[in-house]
Amino acid sequence: MHSPAPATARISIIGAGPGGLTCARILQKHGIPVTVYDRDPHPEARNQGGTLDLHADDGQLALREAGLIDEFFRLARPEGQEMRLLDPTGRILSRHVPAEDELYKPEIDRGQLRDLLLDSLDPGTVRWDHAVERVSGPADGPRQVHFPDGTTVETDLVIGADGAFSRVRPALSPAAPLYTGVSFLEAWFQDVENAHPDIAALVGRGSAAAADGDRALFAQRNSGDHIRVYIIQRLPADWITASGLSADDTAGIRARLLDGFSGWSSPMLRMITDNDGPYVDRPLFALPVPHTWEPTPTVTLLGDAAHLMPPLGVGANLAMLDACELALALAGSPTVGDAVATYEKTMLPRAADAARMLENGAEALLERHDSGEIAHFGPPQH
């Protein structure tokens, strides 16, 4: 089959996260039709997660290309760039306070970013309640996208932007995410200035991290007077059930955590004991390094679907940069196949380099620090 011109091609993006929506927005800016399919039944179906720091040289670059940078800065929190490194007693070892005009990586809530991107798209671009089961069809197309109700969509290009456990990836690669040996538990704190003032004081206006070599806490401010804490441990992926507990047994999990963090100070332990609501289990997975595949003119991947890495502040930024470069390649190439080849020629080596740098990043989250700076990281993709 001859690869079609992008302007006349049927392009399907799977996944309405930051990467998928950024790609759709830039394609539409260039007059290229696109449809996004997402498993959520509607935009408000679930909480989108914590806060992201969007970097000037990737995430912000993509938003500039999307024509949304001014709206981003109206929503972003430059003060969220503050970073504190604590010890297990709560003593501040080091602190980065952003300059008044520092805008290299301001924070924005994931939900706010998603809404910003969604509102920029043509009505009806996103087809909600469309979980994808698989992609079939010959390598030279057309492809079929299969949904659980038995329906299919025929398309000339499938863009897998559907995250860690992508249903598009098997059309290109047999690779599957592997457990890193490190697990997150997410804890939420609401109305923190009034209800949790001690935690608010520890965390400050941005993020705070502490580690003892085997376990760690990472707390981050969100908008609306919320804080999320990630309780980080080196444990089997099924440690909750292996302990005879269930995900909704908050008291049982809390007791297990307190036993593990027994040497930490009472003020720090409030980040484990005083959370509002249950914990959320988020074991960390990563794709093999490097993750590559044979070029195919009808399927490609971006973001975590292509290069899932430990959460050290690069995931969403790389996904948005991928999305921007893929959309621009489609806008500037004579055929879809040419565009995919151009995009992957840049994306795959860049992703491999980043993945090699972060290959043991999950373990690095647990390293004890006596002083100095610590790299900012964020919550896992989900």
Side-chain angles (χ1 to χ4, degrees):
M1 175 184 169
H2 175 70
S3 184
T8 60
R10 296 163 296 180
I11 299 176
S12 300
I13 296 175
I14 314 304
L21 295 177
T22 298
C23 189
R25 164 63 178 180
I26 297 174
L27 286 174
Q28 288 185 347
K29 275 199 70 188
H30 288 269
I32 299 175
V34 61
T35 303
V36 180
Y37 298 94
D38 194 85
R39 65 182 180 179
D40 286 349
H42 53 81
E44 292 79 35
R46 63 185 175 91
N47 189 288
Q48 293 301 305
T51 183
L52 297 168
D53 56 332
L54 290 193
H55 305 168
D57 51 5
D58 37 43
Q60 288 182 43
L61 185 153
L63 288 178
R64 287 186 188 279
E65 195 64 45
L68 299 172
I69 195 66
D70 291 338
E71 290 90 337
F72 164 71
F73 282 125
R74 281 195 285 270
L75 294 168
R77 291 175 284 107
E79 71 277 7
Q81 296 170 104
E82 180 180 339
M83 181 65 198
R84 296 180 179 186
L85 182 66
L86 312 175
D87 69 12
T89 72
R91 179 172 63 97
I92 296 177
L93 300 175
S94 66
R95 180 183 180 192
H96 169 72
V97 179
E100 187 174 342
D101 59 350
E102 187 174 330
L103 293 174
Y104 176 69
K105 53 177 185 178
E107 299 281 338
I108 185 171
D109 284 11
R110 287 177 180 270
Q112 291 177 320
L113 178 62
R114 192 194 206 193
D115 288 345
L116 171 63
L117 290 163
L118 279 173
D119 291 345
S120 74
L121 298 177
D122 296 340
T125 298
V126 180
R127 306 286 176 85
W128 301 105
D129 203 18
H130 278 72
V132 169
E133 285 194 332
R134 62 190 176 93
V135 175
S136 68
D140 61 351
R143 294 286 189 157
Q144 286 76 43
V145 179
H146 297 256
F147 302 103
D149 62 1
T151 60
T152 62
V153 169
E154 189 173 86
T155 187
D156 299 308
L157 175 63
V158 183
I159 299 171
D162 50 342
F165 297 95
S166 169
R167 296 301 183 93
V168 178
R169 188 190 300 124
L172 287 173
S173 163
L178 302 174
Y179 180 53
T180 63
V182 176
S183 188
F184 278 21
L185 270 186
E186 183 177 324
W188 299 359
F189 300 81
Q190 320 289 1
D191 189 26
V192 293
E193 295 296 340
N194 295 313
H196 305 284
D198 293 342
I199 293 174
L202 271 175
V203 174
R205 301 193 305 167
S207 301
D212 68 5
D214 292 309
R215 59 199 60 80
L217 296 175
F218 181 84
Q220 57 176 197
R221 285 269 184 175
N222 291 204
S223 64
D225 205 23
H226 304 305
I227 286 176
R228 289 176 191 249
V229 173
Y230 298 90
I231 303 161
I232 309 170
Q233 304 172 90
R234 188 185 296 107
L235 291 168
D238 64 347
W239 71 272
I240 293 178
T241 55
S243 302
L245 303 170
S246 61
D248 59 356
D249 185 357
T250 301
I253 293 174
R254 184 173 288 144
R256 177 80 152 71
L257 293 172
L258 287 174
D259 182 58
F261 283 79
S262 60
W264 292 51
S265 70
S266 294
M268 295 294 285
L269 291 178
R270 291 194 182 99
M271 295 191 204
I272 293 175
T273 62
D274 293 7
N275 50 304
D276 300 315
Y279 303 101
V280 182
D281 187 27
R282 302 201 185 281
L284 302 186
F285 290 82
L287 281 167
V289 180
H291 177 226
T292 61
W293 54 85
E294 288 298 316
T296 301
T298 54
V299 183
T300 192
L301 306 172
L302 62 80
D304 284 351
H307 44 68
L308 178 66
M309 307 174 201
L312 286 144
V314 301
N317 283 284
L318 281 183
M320 293 173 72
L321 182 59
D322 291 349
C324 176
E325 292 183 348
L326 175 55
L328 292 178
L330 286 162
S333 299
T335 71
V336 167
D338 290 331
V340 169
T342 296
Y343 160 68
E344 291 182 353
K345 185 177 180 179
T346 299
M347 182 275 290
L348 287 172
R350 177 179 64 224
D353 288 346
R356 288 188 189 97
M357 289 177 60
L358 302 182
E359 192 166 6
N360 297 311
E363 284 289 328
L365 302 177
L366 301 168
E367 290 179 0
R368 178 191 294 272
H369 292 264
D370 295 323
S371 63
E373 293 296 327
I374 186 170
H376 179 65
F377 61 96
Q381 304 293 315
H382 60 282

Short mmCIF file of all heavy atoms in Angstrom, two decimals, residues 93 111 125 142 165 178 214 290 360 363 377:
data_model
loop_
_atom_site.label_atom_id
_atom_site.label_comp_id
_atom_site.label_asym_id
_atom_site.label_seq_id
_atom_site.Cartn_x
_atom_site.Cartn_y
_atom_site.Cartn_z
N LEU A 93 18.46 19.79 54.85
CA LEU A 93 19.86 19.64 54.45
C LEU A 93 20.23 20.63 53.37
O LEU A 93 21.35 21.14 53.34
CB LEU A 93 20.11 18.22 53.96
CG LEU A 93 19.85 17.09 54.97
CD1 LEU A 93 20.03 15.74 54.30
CD2 LEU A 93 20.78 17.22 56.18
N GLY A 111 -4.17 17.55 35.99
CA GLY A 111 -5.54 17.80 35.55
C GLY A 111 -5.68 19.13 34.85
O GLY A 111 -6.42 19.25 33.86
N THR A 125 -13.00 15.70 18.99
CA THR A 125 -11.72 15.08 18.65
C THR A 125 -11.48 13.82 19.47
O THR A 125 -10.98 12.81 18.95
CB THR A 125 -10.56 16.07 18.88
OG1 THR A 125 -10.72 17.20 18.02
CG2 THR A 125 -9.21 15.42 18.60
N PRO A 142 -3.91 -0.84 5.39
CA PRO A 142 -4.36 -0.08 6.56
C PRO A 142 -4.39 -0.94 7.82
O PRO A 142 -4.41 -2.17 7.73
CB PRO A 142 -5.77 0.38 6.16
CG PRO A 142 -6.25 -0.68 5.22
CD PRO A 142 -5.03 -1.13 4.46
N PHE A 165 1.53 0.39 29.92
CA PHE A 165 1.05 -0.91 29.49
C PHE A 165 0.26 -0.76 28.19
O PHE A 165 -0.87 -1.21 28.06
CB PHE A 165 0.25 -1.56 30.60
CG PHE A 165 1.09 -1.83 31.82
CD1 PHE A 165 1.12 -0.92 32.88
CD2 PHE A 165 1.89 -2.95 31.88
CE1 PHE A 165 1.92 -1.15 33.99
CE2 PHE A 165 2.70 -3.19 32.98
CZ PHE A 165 2.72 -2.29 34.04
N LEU A 178 9.13 -4.02 33.02
CA LEU A 178 9.62 -4.87 34.09
C LEU A 178 9.59 -4.10 35.41
O LEU A 178 9.86 -2.89 35.45
CB LEU A 178 11.06 -5.31 33.79
CG LEU A 178 11.28 -6.07 32.47
CD1 LEU A 178 12.77 -6.29 32.24
CD2 LEU A 178 10.52 -7.37 32.46
N ASP A 214 17.03 2.88 52.36
CA ASP A 214 16.12 1.77 52.07
C ASP A 214 14.69 2.24 51.78
O ASP A 214 13.91 1.50 51.19
CB ASP A 214 16.08 0.80 53.25
CG ASP A 214 17.39 0.07 53.43
OD1 ASP A 214 17.88 -0.49 52.43
OD2 ASP A 214 17.92 0.07 54.55
N PRO A 290 18.21 -0.42 25.53
CA PRO A 290 17.28 0.50 24.86
C PRO A 290 16.06 -0.26 24.34
O PRO A 290 16.13 -1.47 24.12
CB PRO A 290 18.11 1.04 23.69
CG PRO A 290 19.02 -0.12 23.33
CD PRO A 290 19.35 -0.79 24.64
N ASN A 360 18.93 3.04 36.54
CA ASN A 360 18.86 2.67 37.96
C ASN A 360 18.27 3.78 38.80
O ASN A 360 18.52 3.86 40.00
CB ASN A 360 20.26 2.31 38.46
CG ASN A 360 20.84 1.11 37.73
OD1 ASN A 360 20.18 0.08 37.60
ND2 ASN A 360 22.08 1.23 37.27
N GLU A 363 16.31 3.06 42.15
CA GLU A 363 17.15 2.87 43.33
C GLU A 363 17.69 4.20 43.84
O GLU A 363 17.84 4.40 45.05
CB GLU A 363 18.30 1.93 42.99
CG GLU A 363 17.91 0.47 42.90
CD GLU A 363 17.58 -0.12 44.26
OE1 GLU A 363 18.19 0.31 45.26
OE2 GLU A 363 16.70 -0.99 44.32
N PHE A 377 12.04 14.84 40.96
CA PHE A 377 11.35 13.78 40.26
C PHE A 377 9.87 13.89 40.55
O PHE A 377 9.44 14.65 41.39
CB PHE A 377 11.89 12.40 40.64
CG PHE A 377 11.75 12.04 42.12
CD1 PHE A 377 10.68 11.30 42.57
CD2 PHE A 377 12.70 12.47 43.03
CE1 PHE A 377 10.55 10.99 43.91
CE2 PHE A 377 12.59 12.14 44.37
CZ PHE A 377 11.51 11.39 44.81
#
